[in-house]
Amino acid sequence: MKERAEQALSQAGIQPTPNRILVVDALQHAQSPLSLADLEELLPTMERSGIFRVLSLLADSHVAHTVNDGTRSLKYEMCPSGAGGHSASDHHVHFHCTRCGRTYCIDCPVPRVPLPEGFRALSANYVLDGLCPSCDTE
């Protein structure tokens, strides 16, 4: 089970320590992007600072990316293109439910925005707010 996490770290040139494997495994099995608080709940044997250090390393190495869904708490998810990827699939739309607070990945690329000459986008954060199917009772 943890072999996939270890492989993702190794492919990115990151030493697969036990804490790193735990965090990557949790992100790989998550149904939606996870916050630091979510990971604290899932990984009670790890300290908050240790989880944060691993998340920072994963984000800096492009193994995972951050999602700013407007909740003032960054969410993290594995890059779809794989370890260390910079694929177009890594920049996709997210949906944030304003009732339950869950953030979902939407299989849709971030729309291309024509930039003025000399500008180069390095990342994009595209989040739609609304109600998920479970919360939309109308």
Side-chain angles (χ1 to χ4, degrees):
M1 185 193 292
K2 307 272 192 234
E3 295 85 20
R4 205 173 104 199
E6 191 171 343
Q7 182 181 21
L9 289 164
S10 295
Q11 285 177 345
I14 299 172
Q15 179 68 33
T17 65
N19 282 352
R20 292 171 184 169
I21 291 169
L22 283 173
V23 172
V24 169
D25 186 60
L27 290 173
Q28 286 176 330
H29 288 92
Q31 299 298 311
S32 61
L34 300 175
S35 68
L36 177 58
D38 295 332
L39 284 162
E40 278 183 285
E41 261 185 57
L42 289 170
L43 306 171
T45 60
M46 282 186 72
E47 291 184 20
R48 179 182 187 88
S49 60
I51 296 170
F52 181 76
R53 282 192 300 274
V54 173
L55 290 172
S56 295
L57 174 65
L58 296 175
D60 291 345
S61 303
H62 305 288
V63 174
H65 65 267
T66 59
V67 179
N68 183 349
D69 62 6
T71 61
R72 296 185 183 179
S73 176
L74 284 179
K75 305 270 183 355
Y76 298 83
E77 67 181 339
M78 296 299 291
C79 290
S81 64
H86 276 296
S87 160
S89 66
D90 292 336
H91 301 287
H92 55 272
V93 175
H94 293 90
F95 183 92
H96 174 252
C97 179
T98 56
R99 186 168 292 157
C100 69
R102 188 166 174 198
T103 299
Y104 300 84
C105 294
I106 305 296
D107 188 21
C108 174
V110 171
R112 189 168 176 83
V113 176
L115 296 172
E117 189 173 328
F119 289 83
R120 180 171 57 116
L122 298 176
S123 68
N125 188 51
Y126 196 105
V127 179
L128 300 169
D129 288 320
L131 298 175
C132 69
S134 298
C135 293
D136 190 11
T137 56
E138 294 177 12

